Amino acid sequence: GQVQRRAWRSVETILKDSQHPTAVVVGHGFAFYSILCRALGMPLKNFRRFRLDNGSITVLEMGGPRNLLLSFNDCSHLLRDSTDKG
């Protein structure tokens, strides 16, 4: 619960202080689990229903009548085409 309160306060500060409609937040797994639970109105005890891989991208749309999970645990940027020489 303490992690969730701290993480959520940080998200609220970022959203309030942002000059742009998009913000990027980088952090550790449990902080993100707690943010997801809060943003989606789920009890924190349900965090085990999520699986986030290291380096994954999750996109939340916040600020409307309800928060929306647009993308979750996207790792496609980590995959490399075997024909890629770079």
Side-chain angles (χ1 to χ4, degrees):
Q2 291 176 5
V3 170
Q4 187 180 52
R5 284 187 290 279
R6 287 193 310 268
W8 192 254
R9 266 196 312 269
S10 296
V11 167
E12 289 179 322
T13 299
I14 290 166
L15 293 173
K16 182 182 70 150
D17 293 347
S18 178
Q19 299 291 321
H20 302 281
T22 301
V24 175
V25 178
V26 178
H28 294 278
F30 193 76
F32 279 110
Y33 292 133
S34 67
I35 290 168
L36 284 170
C37 287
R38 176 77 183 259
L40 299 175
M42 295 174 61
L44 185 56
K45 67 182 181 181
N46 289 337
F47 79 92
R48 286 187 173 90
R49 298 181 74 186
F50 296 115
R51 186 182 118 206
L52 287 172
D53 292 313
N54 291 336
S56 65
I57 297 173
T58 294
V59 179
L60 283 168
E61 183 178 290
M62 300 174 66
R66 65 178 183 216
N67 297 323
L68 300 173
L69 182 60
L70 302 180
S71 172
F72 179 76
N73 198 40
D74 179 3
C75 293
S76 61
H77 60 286
L78 301 174
L79 302 175
R80 233 179 141 175
D81 184 348
S82 62
T83 62
D84 184 5
K85 304 296 182 202

